[in-house]
Amino acid sequence: MVKEPVAVVGIGQTKHVAARRDVSIAGLVREAAVRALDDAQLTWADIDAVVIGKAPDFFEGVMMPELYLADALGAVGKPMLRVHTAGSVGGSTALVACNLVAARVHRTVLTLAFEKQSESNAMWGLSLPIPFQQPLLAGAGGFFAPHVRAYMRRSGAPDTIGSLVAYKDRRNALKNPYAHLHEKDITLEKVQSSPMLWDPIRYSETCPSSDGACAMVLTDAVGARRAPRRPAWVLGGAMRSEPTMFAGKDYVSPRAGKECAADVFLQSGITDPRREIDAVEMYVPFSWYEPMWLENLGFAAEGEGWKLTESGVTEIGGDLPVNPSGGVLSTNPIGASGMIRFAEAAMQVRGQAGEHQVDGARRALGHAYGGGSQFFSMWVVGAERPTS
Amino acid sequence: MPDVLSAPLVVEFPFTRSLGPVQSAFLTGLRERSVLGVRTADGRVLVPPAEYDPVTAEEIRELVEVGTAGTVTAWAWNPQPRPCQPLDRAFAWVLVRLDGADTALLHALDAPGGAQSVRTGMRVRIRWALEREGAITDIACFEPDDDGPTTHEARPHSGEFADPVTGITAPARLDYTYFPGRAQSRYITALAGRKTIGERCPSCRKVYVPPRGACPTCGVATDEQVEVGPRGTVTTFCVVNIKAKNVDIEVPYVYVHIALDGADLALHGRIGGIPYDQVRMGMRVEPVWTEGGRHPDHYRPTGEPDADYDSYRELL
Ligand SMILES: [Zn+2]
């Protein structure tokens, strides 16, 4: 059966900040949704279904928030679905919405993801004091830092790479009005002299904690023809999972991530992603994950990813720009972070990214992962409607 | 299953909530002993108020003040209140449609006459809390209002108050009984004798430590117990320089992944007995126990030569 082509015709984000004390959770998601509808020049009545995602309910302590958010998202009398795949949820949520259109279940779907971290406690939500277990809490950085060290050992990457990524992403964020961190006086020296929190990870190489939401309107070929602005076409979408811990798990380059990337490129007709992808928005919560994911996704051979970073290939002006938006390193409303990657990829191929636009971007990858490198979700979007 | 351990697990946290304009007006109103609702596009009055119209999805901001007495539309008797419920004696949960409102508010009804004194359609009024702060608990409860029906039209209200409440704290507490299961119970029990017991997968032959009772790769039960360690190899590590809440460990300390001899994946621990900047991948370590400790307190170098990278690279 031939799938319905899926187009992104509306994108909306909030200005991401440390704390949005002026709005409720409903007010926050509403803001992103209204901006996406405005971008698509559609009204609530044009939406057939709503697909929403966020990180664990324990974060804000609102159990099943989608129930209470139905009013704010115009979902009354319509199907509303909640997706949950930890940090990758924003990507998975967009893909569930995408599949509903591709399968011709619905014609136009609003998809949205959010987090209000200022009202939450991620540490508490993720690290319950389980009886009989040794309290060794080292935080999220403590979980990921040993894997970064393993990557450095395996690849021989010099220890300067992490700071280069952070310096690039923070400068990119200055071009993105929606980014949380706008460090106008950032310098490489400042990144390199920031405190070492979980050696080898420095403070400036970690993501912030943000309040924010991101929404997209996805529609079918007929909807795309009526759209007021150029759509982004979904060329492929894939998700993969694997256990958080198992004998033989490769934390540096998880098999689920490799297979997810191979699948999404196959669907998109891409055989040489390094040459054929014009912009990448990947989920990099700690700066060292840029070279690690470059290898995992197939943009570089094993052990070679850091060379792309070091030589400037991943800068906005390089030939494989990574996180022109500033990425998760500059903005991290956890549940929304994956959808922001997907949306920013779509903005690039729509030519809508403003100051952080990559010149002539025709095909872009959006990537998200979560749950201790357990869940992966990715899509490739393009400026041209897929032919098959 | 007498060999399975169990323990209470309490999780609690004081969540904060930003209210936004409508809930802010509603809760500040309660502090001032007035109840606000909101009018929808079709003219209905919602109490408690919503930010968005449930029919049209449009933003609604037309606030109105309704009465402080109303009519019970449904109820359920609560013979044995639990801690933190509004009253410490038997009471009724009630849905009350306040005069001037079109929807009902959930609250508690103090009914000294018992369950037989409560009926749908009865008239009730708010009993205000003596100390009010801008929270739903500013309504202490409802009480019977036998003075007969009064009518109250919803009146327009600006929603503006001096010193509005913009956020609340919502304490949450969950009480669980935690069972680690048979495999982990065996592991924990063996640790008391300072032995580390893993379990081998009958299919792929990998040894899991701590065991979880099943192999996540093969999806089959692991029931062959295998003693591993006590020595092991540091596969990777980080130096922790920030102190975690509730963990009494001086910083900096070294958080390590250790592959115990005979185990096929690394467990996590802490290194002591060596300066933090001398810890290396491949270092050979052994556990250090303290009196009464359920787990090794930390691991220390054995003095053996470092393990060859190829011997543990598959365990990274
Ligand atoms: Zn197995």
Side-chain angles (χ1 to χ4, degrees):
Chain A
M1 196 184 87
V2 178
K3 285 183 187 176
E4 179 67 27
V6 182
V8 183
V9 294
I11 296 173
Q13 293 181 61
T14 59
K15 160 71 178 113
H16 308 289
V17 294
R20 279 296 301 273
R21 299 221 163 81
D22 60 319
V23 288
S24 61
I25 293 174
L28 184 76
V29 299
R30 174 80 173 195
E31 209 169 283
V34 165
R35 286 175 184 169
L37 285 177
D38 287 350
D39 185 27
Q41 291 181 23
L42 295 176
T43 68
W44 296 107
D46 298 313
I47 300 298
D48 301 322
V50 179
V51 184
I52 183 170
K54 72 171 301 298
D57 289 358
F58 266 168
F59 278 23
E60 289 91 345
V62 180
M63 299 304 138
M64 299 186 287
E66 62 277 13
L67 302 183
Y68 126 83
L69 296 174
D71 292 5
L73 295 174
V76 177
K78 299 172 185 176
M80 186 178 198
L81 297 180
R82 159 81 182 277
V83 179
H84 179 29
T85 59
S88 72
V89 66
S92 315
T93 304
L95 290 178
V96 170
C98 182
N99 289 343
L100 290 171
V101 177
R104 303 193 175 108
V105 175
H106 300 296
R107 304 193 68 167
T108 303
V109 177
L110 172 69
T111 185
L112 181 139
F114 75 93
E115 209 69 62
K116 208 155 188 280
Q117 286 226 67
S118 67
E119 302 188 5
S120 90
N121 186 311
M123 265 315 286
W124 185 84
L126 294 174
S127 314
L128 302 183
I130 304 295
F132 311 114
Q133 291 188 8
Q134 199 167 17
L136 274 169
L137 303 177
F143 180 86
F144 289 108
H147 304 315
V148 167
R149 185 179 303 277
Y151 171 72
M152 294 165 79
R153 172 69 178 81
R154 202 191 276 189
S155 66
D159 59 12
T160 51
I161 300 299
S163 295
L164 291 176
V165 174
Y167 178 50
K168 165 183 70 77
D169 284 2
R170 296 282 160 76
R171 276 180 296 136
N172 288 351
L174 294 172
K175 300 170 191 265
N176 174 4
Y178 294 101
H180 172 181
L181 295 183
H182 282 146
E183 298 178 335
K184 294 192 174 58
D185 49 0
I186 188 79
T187 63
L188 182 57
E189 292 67 34
K190 280 186 182 169
V191 174
Q192 288 168 333
S193 60
S194 69
M196 192 62 98
L197 301 185
W198 303 278
D199 191 343
I201 295 179
R202 292 182 182 279
Y203 173 74
S204 290
E205 297 166 4
T206 67
C207 55
S209 169
S210 317
D211 283 2
C214 179
M216 291 189 283
V217 177
L218 307 184
T219 191
D220 59 9
V222 172
R225 269 200 294 280
R226 284 198 291 253
R229 305 178 64 177
R230 193 206 303 177
W233 293 96
V234 180
L235 305 183
M239 292 179 258
R240 289 291 186 282
S241 311
E242 67 182 33
T244 297
M245 284 185 171
F246 62 92
K249 171 147 182 156
D250 185 347
Y251 285 98
V252 171
S253 188
R255 180 172 155 189
K258 279 185 193 168
E259 293 182 353
C260 190
D263 185 5
V264 81
F265 291 136
L266 180 69
Q267 290 177 38
S268 313
I270 287 170
T271 52
D272 182 354
R274 168 88 166 80
R275 303 280 159 232
E276 296 174 70
I277 292 287
D278 302 316
V280 182
E281 282 283 343
M282 63 167 73
Y283 202 109
V284 176
F286 299 99
S287 59
W288 276 96
Y289 273 80
E290 174 175 301
M292 289 162 71
W293 293 145
L294 283 170
E295 295 172 26
N296 186 244
L297 297 173
F299 289 109
E302 196 176 312
E304 305 284 315
W306 61 271
K307 294 176 184 170
L308 300 189
T309 299
E310 189 181 48
S311 62
V313 167
T314 60
E315 303 257 358
I316 284 188
D319 69 22
L320 185 68
V322 174
N323 291 326
S325 68
V328 178
L329 275 183
S330 306
T331 304
N332 190 29
I334 299 177
S337 289
M339 190 171 288
I340 297 170
R341 307 278 72 69
F342 278 45
E344 286 283 351
M347 286 164 64
Q348 289 292 343
V349 299
R350 295 178 83 193
Q352 190 191 13
E355 271 195 76
H356 64 284
Q357 178 68 45
V358 172
D359 280 345
R362 308 294 292 166
R363 278 191 283 204
L365 174 73
H367 160 272
Y369 88 109
S373 304
Q374 179 170 14
F375 301 113
F376 294 82
S377 55
M378 304 174 197
W379 80 3
V380 171
V381 283
E384 315 294 341
R385 181 175 159 170
T387 45
S388 58
Chain B
M1 288 183 288
D3 57 337
V4 175
L5 299 168
S6 73
L9 168 58
V10 178
V11 291
E12 51 186 337
F13 188 73
F15 289 102
T16 55
R17 301 265 175 265
S18 298
L19 296 173
V22 174
Q23 303 307 327
S24 171
F26 175 65
L27 293 182
T28 310
L30 295 183
R31 188 188 69 195
E32 306 303 325
R33 296 205 290 191
S34 83
V35 182
L36 301 188
V38 68
R39 197 180 292 282
T40 63
D42 61 10
R44 291 182 307 145
V45 171
L46 310 182
V47 178
E51 289 187 73
Y52 304 98
D53 192 309
V55 177
T56 66
E58 293 308 318
E59 184 176 286
I60 43 176
R61 292 292 183 268
E62 189 187 336
L63 296 174
V64 294
E65 184 176 5
V66 299
T68 56
T71 304
V72 171
T73 62
W75 60 280
W77 190 246
N78 180 16
Q80 286 175 311
R82 292 168 60 85
C84 302
Q85 289 191 336
L87 295 167
D88 58 9
R89 55 192 173 275
F91 67 90
W93 290 112
V94 284
L95 283 170
V96 179
R97 190 173 61 233
L98 291 167
D99 297 334
D102 292 291
T103 59
L105 172 82
L106 173 67
H107 220 289
L109 172 67
D110 187 10
Q116 59 274 27
S117 72
V118 183
R119 60 189 169 76
T120 296
M122 76 184 285
R123 294 288 299 169
V124 296
R125 66 176 173 236
I126 289 173
R127 179 190 298 163
W128 294 104
L130 294 178
E131 309 233 329
R132 294 180 305 282
E133 54 180 10
I136 191 64
T137 47
D138 289 355
I139 298 177
C141 62
F142 281 81
E143 58 192 17
D145 183 22
D146 302 324
D147 299 340
T150 55
T151 54
H152 182 106
E153 293 290 313
R155 292 190 305 257
H157 193 286
S158 68
E160 286 167 19
F161 297 94
D163 190 21
V165 177
T166 58
I168 59 168
T169 301
R173 177 187 163 108
L174 299 165
D175 283 273
Y176 297 100
T177 301
Y178 176 78
F179 296 90
R182 273 186 300 238
Q184 288 220 51
S185 291
R186 282 194 290 265
Y187 168 75
I188 292 158
T189 306
L191 277 179
R194 302 191 175 179
K195 282 186 195 308
T196 301
I197 304 292
E199 290 191 355
R200 189 189 303 280
C201 171
S203 174
C204 67
R205 310 297 294 162
K206 299 285 189 189
V207 174
Y208 275 82
V209 183
R212 292 172 165 197
C215 172
T217 309
C218 307
V220 296
T222 55
D223 49 12
E224 182 193 341
Q225 279 120 58
V226 183
E227 185 173 350
V228 299
R231 292 185 168 191
T233 300
V234 172
T235 59
T236 185
F237 65 95
C238 70
V239 183
V240 179
N241 287 311
I242 50 171
K243 210 166 158 49
K245 267 182 252 170
N246 311 322
V247 180
D248 187 25
I249 303 174
E250 286 304 308
V251 295
Y253 68 91
V254 183
Y255 183 83
V256 288
H257 295 188
I258 299 167
L260 293 178
D261 295 346
D264 284 301
L265 74 175
L267 48 71
H268 298 181
R270 185 171 63 88
I271 293 289
I274 179 174
Y276 69 90
D277 55 357
Q278 290 178 27
V279 174
R280 307 171 299 278
M281 292 170 75
M283 198 167 76
R284 296 284 297 160
V285 294
E286 63 188 4
V288 177
W289 296 85
T290 48
E291 194 56 42
R294 191 189 288 283
H295 301 271
D297 179 70
H298 63 273
Y299 292 79
R300 68 180 171 209
T302 62
E304 294 166 273
D306 287 359
D308 184 58
Y309 178 54
D310 285 333
S311 71
Y312 62 87
R313 63 180 302 163
E314 298 299 324
L315 297 168
L316 273 177

